[in-house]
Amino acid sequence: LQKEKNITYDHHVLSKKIPKIPTVEYPATPSFFPVAYSDIDMNKHVNNTRYVLWAINEYPYEFHQNHKLKTCNIQFISQAKHLDRITIQKKEISENIFVSSVFTENNQNEACRIMLAWEKNNK
């Protein structure tokens, strides 16, 4: 804890560590899409919220109608930039828990890994 002019800075934002997100293999037959201008932040990298948006868009409409997002954990590994082309590989690791990895086309670099836990809607 560091104090400065009656402001307290706590460097521990979370009360516990987030578990490491399992790896997902690079897709055998990747389908790439370009990073768009609207995906870029002021530092000329992909905005961190875009990765989550891309991962959520990998689920079909019907899945979204029957599930709601419970938790989202993200691990940033490298940065995607304008003109990069990316692909996403998704894997269900247990019931309604999925890991999505965002890979860039060049060198097959993994930009981030996202774990999404879903729960079924009560109808």
Side-chain angles (χ1 to χ4, degrees), residues 96-115:
N96 291 320
I97 299 177
F98 296 82
V99 173
S100 296
S101 284
V102 178
F103 296 95
T104 59
E105 185 175 28
N106 293 344
N107 302 323
Q108 301 176 358
N109 286 334
E110 187 177 20
C112 75
R113 206 174 291 158
I114 304 166
M115 186 182 319

Side-chain angles (χ1 to χ4, degrees), residues 21-105:
I21 300 173
T23 60
V24 176
E25 296 297 319
Y26 188 81
T29 55
S31 175
F32 294 97
F33 62 91
V35 172
Y37 176 78
S38 61
D39 298 326
I40 304 299
D41 64 18
M42 62 190 292
N43 296 315
K44 300 182 182 172
H45 300 116
V46 170
N47 183 296
N48 58 3
T49 61
R50 289 306 213 191
Y51 295 105
V52 177
L53 179 67
W54 293 337
I56 288 173
N57 283 338
E58 289 294 303
Y59 297 82
Y61 179 83
E62 293 75 22
F63 183 91
H64 287 285
Q65 295 302 300
N66 296 309
H67 296 80
K68 63 181 175 182
L69 186 59
K70 185 177 172 183
T71 62
C72 173
N73 293 329
I74 187 165
Q75 176 184 357
F76 295 101
I77 300 165
S78 65
Q79 297 181 16
K81 301 175 188 145
H82 183 248
L83 300 180
D84 281 344
R85 289 170 30 93
I86 60 134
T87 189
I88 299 173
Q89 180 73 347
K90 178 178 70 177
K91 178 181 180 183
E92 187 170 16
I93 59 170
S94 63
E95 186 176 0
N96 291 320
I97 299 177
F98 296 82
V99 173
S100 296
S101 284
V102 178
F103 296 95
T104 59
E105 185 175 28

